Amino acid sequence: MNWQEVLNSGRAEAEAHRQQAVLERASAAGYTRKAKTAADTDSGLLWLMRAMQQRSAAVSSDAASEISDRIADHADRVLHPTP
């Protein structure tokens, strides 16, 4: 196994997931604004559900970044063991 590659890809994937989470939260905020200005209740509910969906996706991306960081941390420990 190429542990350096595992380390590098783990860190890169973690950062990509963090960036995705930021985008999803921004999207959720936009949908929430649309919900507040919706012309009718049904449209408002639709935008709120979309906001909830994006917030849920952000939580998932956060979890994926944590896992990718743990993978990279493990690879780092394999490459640089402490006595």
Side-chain angles (χ1 to χ4, degrees):
M1 170 137 328
N2 184 337
W3 290 105
Q4 187 62 51
E5 185 177 315
V6 172
L7 173 63
N8 294 343
S9 65
R11 293 288 184 238
E13 289 173 5
E15 181 58 29
H17 288 302
R18 280 189 285 275
Q19 290 175 5
Q20 185 64 33
V22 168
L23 294 174
E24 289 159 345
R25 284 189 178 86
S27 178
Y31 289 141
T32 299
R33 283 190 298 278
K34 287 182 179 187
K36 290 178 181 178
T37 60
D40 58 77
T41 303
D42 288 328
S43 295
L45 287 173
L46 171 70
W47 291 120
L48 285 175
M49 287 187 279
R50 289 289 290 149
M52 289 171 37
Q53 183 182 41
Q54 289 299 294
R55 285 187 195 104
S56 175
V59 169
S60 178
S61 292
D62 286 337
S65 74
E66 286 290 324
I67 293 166
S68 293
D69 275 332
R70 288 179 185 171
I71 290 168
D73 290 345
H74 180 71
D76 192 39
R77 284 190 296 277
V78 169
L79 288 169
H80 308 100
T82 56

